[in-house]
Structure formats: structure tokens, C-alpha cells
């Protein structure tokens, strides 16, 4: 019998991969904070629930590092100015590098899970 | 105070200036958009506001997180900068000139800037007939051939912060060059890679070929030419938020040119006790480079990628006036481009420091 997926990731796991999550979401189309947060929820069935307290500091950190570029635009419904984030060239390269790191890490960890009792 | 106002105030607590205004606008946009969504589901304005504030969570989580992004690391007691990166540069140099090594360092406090080796600078000044006495942070420099108005300089007034690297002490190149200029010395820079600093008849070879260090050498000439009351200057920092722009036109091969434009950055001066004095919201960004015949390329801050070249310093300053209101959020766009100057530098430090290149003669490529 398999256990159901947890409703949300361990907070430390989420924190450790927040940049990768945000860079992944910003692939393709520019998005503002509320859109990013909703897309993270919708695409993962609510598993990634990005709180404002971690979302905006992370976006600003990525902007400062030059991986995303923020620009104020008018929001569609309210007409309020919202800051729309676009992945930069260096952000795209960073995303690819982090994807590779994550896949390598995951593959290597999987090897440990497949170890039988008594070692190799 | 309304709940939303209270939330925004608490969420931006501890931030200052532009960072605070931008975060406030960004969070207000998030709130406004989510409230509008919920109202489409027939919630009243008050109900929608309450629900959104519940969804957002504690405002302190935002402010604490943002402080980690926007605050400046502490500066050590000695004034040495938190050294994130240092590159020692070297190159083959002509024999016979006194040589002073330039290095590059980046700090949150000082931005990107070049530094000069104090001991080598001291040796070069003495070889040229001047004298430096005392340690780097409290030295008196007697410049060769300078008699008035200030024949000697005291580094403790104007050379902080310096830095120590590998047991050697380095002084900020821009402060050192500006101090020598202010002494009344006949000062001129010539050449690009490994440029020569001419102090009267004395020649000092500055050992550097990194654009960041070379920019810190030449930037004081741009500031001098812009005149008193100019907005503060900052060299472009290789922080990822830069692009490139190229021009063609009647640009002389091997001549040095500067591109000056403006970005919105809050700044203020402090006195010796750390008390805030005057300040503003505009900083001038410079990038300096050597031209090939008919062409030149500059690095540019992406915030000022929408720019328009203007034909005089007066026109440049006038174009900035409508944007000095610090209570408003400003951003350059294609409709409201940043004014920009393209300057041909002479290497001198005064009204003759540069000539403005006419925008009519220049084509952006």
C-alpha cells in the first residue's frame, strides 16, 4: 500500500529549492507575484503554496542577482501597478545549471535508496 | 488606519527609500488584484480585503525576509571593506616608469571600484621627487612639483575606506586621484590599458587592464567636468543587470569615451557621526571605454536601456528635473527615456575634461 502525497513539502525542502521553483515558473512568460503564486499552486495541485513572506524576498534576491528583471505594469483586473518579472539570459542559464544539479543529486540519492542490505 | 495600510506599513518596516516604495507598490498591487478577483465572486470590498490579508499571512515575514535582501553588510572597524571579489591584474609594462598595481574590489558600500597599491604608490611618488610619510590610513603625501594651494595631502581625510589583501594595503583609486586633483596639481591621465598618471612632469604607470579598474581611474575626470552640484556618480557594477549598447559615428580610434546616464537610486550623505545630510533619488551611471575607429561599445544598466542622447550637460540636467520627486515611483520607458551623454574624454580634470559628442553624428547600432 502506498502513502498519499503529503499536502505540502517540508518547509526546509521548499526553502532550499525556492529559487529553482521560481526560475522554473518564470520560463516562457513574464509574471507578477500573484500569478506566480497561483501558478505554483495550480500546476502542483496545491503542493507548492508560496507564501508572500518567502515569495517576494526570493524574487527580489533573484532580481538583485540579475536572474530576473522586474518592471511595473498595470494589472488586468484592478488597474493597480504590479511588478512583472521576466527571466533574463543569465537567469535562463542559472535555471539550466540548477536543473542539472537537482537531477544529478536526485539520481545519486536514488542509488542510495536502491542499495540492498549488506551494501554494494 | 485601514487594515491594508497597516499591513503595508508593517511589511515594509526597516526598509528605506526606493526599496521601501517599490515593495509597498508591489504588495499593494498584489492586494488590489486579489481583492478584485474575490469581488468577482460577489464578496464585498471589506470581506475581500479581510480574506486577502488572511491569505498573505504575517507582514513581519515579508519585512524580515526583505531586510536580508536589501540591507548593507556591516563595515569593519578599520574601514576595510567586506571583500567579495578581488582580482589582481598584471601586464607587461614599459621599463623605466614607476609602476603601481591596480586591483578591483566590489562591496555593497563602495560599489565596484579600483584600488591602488599604497607601497607602490609611495615608491612612485618618491621616485618622482615627492614624499609620503606615515601609514596608509594616516599618511601625508607631498606631491612632486606642487606648491599651491595644497602641497600636501593627509589620507585620513579622504582615503577611507581602503583594504588589505595578502598583507598589502590598497587605497581607493578614485579618492586618491580626486585628492591629488584637489591639491592643485597639474594632473592628467593618458592611455587606456596601463594608463599613465601625469602629475606635473612626473609620470606614474598604473598597472591595470581590467575595464572596472580603468573606469575607476577615469571616472573622476567625468565628475570634474560635470561641475559642482552634480548628482553622485556610480560605475556600472557587473551584477547581472547590465546590457550592452554600441554606437557608430565619428569616433576617434584609441580615444577614451564615457557614456553617462541616470538611474533611480536613493542616496544620502552622512556626516562624521553618521547623521543623514542631503540626499536624492538619482544616481548617474557611467561606463568608459576606448573606441575603435568609428565605433564604440558600452555597458549599460538595464534600468536605463530606454535612453536618449542629449547634446549638452545643461540639457542632461534639465531633463532629470521632473524626476526628482522622491515620494513618487519613477521608471524609464520608451515614452520617458533616460537622458544620456556621450563624452569624449581628454584625461584632464576640469572644465576641459570632455567634449560632448553630438547625438546627431552618432548612430545606435
Amino acid at each position: 500500500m502506498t502513502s498519499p502525497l503529503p499536502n505540502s513539502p517540508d518547509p526546509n525542502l521548499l526553502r532550499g529549492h525556492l529559487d529553482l521553483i521560481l526560475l522554473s515558473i518564470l520560463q516562457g512568460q513574464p509574471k507578477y507575484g500573484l500569478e506566480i503564486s497561483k501558478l505554483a499552486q495550480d500546476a502542483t495541485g496545491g503542493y507548492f503554496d508560496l507564501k508572500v513572506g518567502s515569495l517576494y524576498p526570493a524574487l527580489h534576491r533573484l532580481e538583485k542577482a540579475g536572474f530576473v528583471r522586474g518592471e511595473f505594469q498595470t494589472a488586468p483586473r484592478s488597474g493597480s501597478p504590479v511588478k512583472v518579472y521576466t527571466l533574463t539570459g543569465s537567469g535562463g542559464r542559472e535555471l539550466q545549471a540548477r536543473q542539472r544539479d537537482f537531477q544529478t543529486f536526485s539520481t545519486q540519492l536514488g542509488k542510495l535508496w536502491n542499495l540492498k542490505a549488506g551494501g554494494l | 488606519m485601514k487594515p491594508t495600510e497597516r499591513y503595508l506599513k508593517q511589511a515594509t518596516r526597516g526598509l528605506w527609500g526606493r526599496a521601501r516604495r517599490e515593495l509597498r507598490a508591489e504588495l499593494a498591487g498584489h492586494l488590489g488584484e486579489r481583492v478584485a478577483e474575490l469581488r468577482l465572486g460577489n464578496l464585498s470590498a471589506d470581506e475581500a480585503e479581510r480574506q486577502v490579508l488572511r491569505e498573505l499571512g504575517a507582514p513581519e515575514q515579508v519585512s524580515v525576509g526583505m531586510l536580508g535582501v536589501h540591507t548593507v553588510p556591516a563595515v569593519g572597524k578599520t574601514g576595510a571593506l567586506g571583500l567579495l571579489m578581488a582580482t589582481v591584474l598584471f601586464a607587461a609594462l614599459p621599463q623605466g616608469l614607476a609602476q603601481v598595481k591596480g586591483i578591483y574590489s566590489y562591496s555593497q558600500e563602495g560599489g565596484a571600484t579600483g584600488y591602488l597599491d599604497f607601497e607602490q604608490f609611495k615608491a612612485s611618488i618618491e621616485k618622482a621627487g615627492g614624499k609620503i610619510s606615515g601609514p596608509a590610513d594616516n599618511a601625508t603625501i607631498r606631491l612632486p612639483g606642487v606648491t599651491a594651494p595644497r602641497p600636501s595631502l593627509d589620507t585620513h581625510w579622504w582615503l577611507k575606506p581602503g583594504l588589505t589583501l595578502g598583507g598589502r594595503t590598497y587605497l581607493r583609486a578614485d579618492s586618491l586621484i580626486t585628492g591629488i586633483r584637489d591639491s592643485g596639481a597639474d594632473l592628467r591621465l593618458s592611455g587606456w590599458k596601463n594608463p599613465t598618471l601625469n602629475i606635473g612632469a612626473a609620470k606614474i604607470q598604473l598597472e591595470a587592464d581590467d575595464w572596472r579598474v580603468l573606469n575607476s581611474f577615469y571616472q573622476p575626470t567625468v565628475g570634474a567636468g560635470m561641475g559642482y552640484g552634480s548628482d553622485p556618480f556610480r560605475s556600472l557594477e557587473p551584477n547581472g543587470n547590465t546590457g550592452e549598447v554600441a554606437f557608430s559615428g565619428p569616433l576617434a580610434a584609441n580615444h577614451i569615451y564615457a557614456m553617462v546616464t541616470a538611474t533611480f537610486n536613493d542616496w544620502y550623505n552622512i556626516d562624521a557621526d553618521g547623521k543623514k545630510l542631503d540626499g536624492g533619488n538619482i544616481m548617474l551611471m557611467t561606463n568608459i571605454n576606448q573606441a575603435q575607429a568609428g565605433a564604440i561599445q558600452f555597458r549599460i544598466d538595464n534600468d536605463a536601456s530606454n535612453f536618449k542622447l542629449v547634446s549638452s550637460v545643461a540639457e542632461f540636467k534639465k531633463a532629470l528635473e521632473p524626476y526628482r520627486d522622491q515620494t513618487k515611483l519613477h521608471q524609464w520607458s520608451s515614452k520617458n527615456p533616460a537622458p544620456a551623454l556621450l563624452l569624449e574624454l581628454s584625461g584632464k580634470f576640469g572644465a576641459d575634461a570632455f567634449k560632448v559628442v553630438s547625438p546627431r553624428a552618432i548612430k545606435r547600432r
Side-chain angles (χ1 to χ4, degrees), chain A residues 24-68:
Chain A
S24 304
I25 291 172
L26 287 170
Q27 285 182 99
Q29 282 220 317
K31 294 172 190 73
Y32 56 92
L34 181 61
E35 283 183 311
I36 293 169
S37 153
K38 287 170 74 174
L39 185 65
Q41 276 200 327
D42 294 347
T44 63
Y47 182 68
F48 286 149
D49 182 12
L50 306 181
K51 299 292 183 195
V52 165
S54 53
L55 172 66
Y56 286 104
L59 286 170
H60 283 233
R61 192 175 58 248
L62 292 172
E63 185 182 25
K64 210 168 181 182
F67 298 145
V68 301

Side-chain angles (χ1 to χ4, degrees), chain A residues 32-34 37-38 51-61 63-73 75-83 85 88 90, chain B residues 7 19 21-23 25-30 32-34 36-37 40 55-56 58 61-62 64-66 69-71 108 239-241 302-303 306 329 331-333:
Chain A
Y32 56 92
L34 181 61
S37 153
K38 287 170 74 174
K51 299 292 183 195
V52 165
S54 53
L55 172 66
Y56 286 104
L59 286 170
H60 283 233
R61 192 175 58 248
E63 185 182 25
K64 210 168 181 182
F67 298 145
V68 301
R69 186 163 47 249
E71 187 183 19
F72 277 94
Q73 293 179 11
R77 289 191 188 84
S78 60
S80 313
V82 287
K83 194 170 177 185
Y85 292 90
T88 63
S90 67
Chain B
Y7 177 89
R21 285 199 305 277
E22 282 206 2
L23 178 64
E26 186 170 20
L27 292 173
H30 184 122
E33 193 63 0
R34 183 73 181 122
E37 261 180 15
L40 289 175
E55 289 172 3
L56 292 180
Q61 288 177 346
V62 181
V64 169
M66 295 304 291
V69 180
H70 288 293
T71 48
Q108 288 282 358
N239 63 2
N241 190 31
N302 285 332
D303 290 345
N306 289 301
L329 197 63
Q331 194 165 23
W332 301 121
S333 65

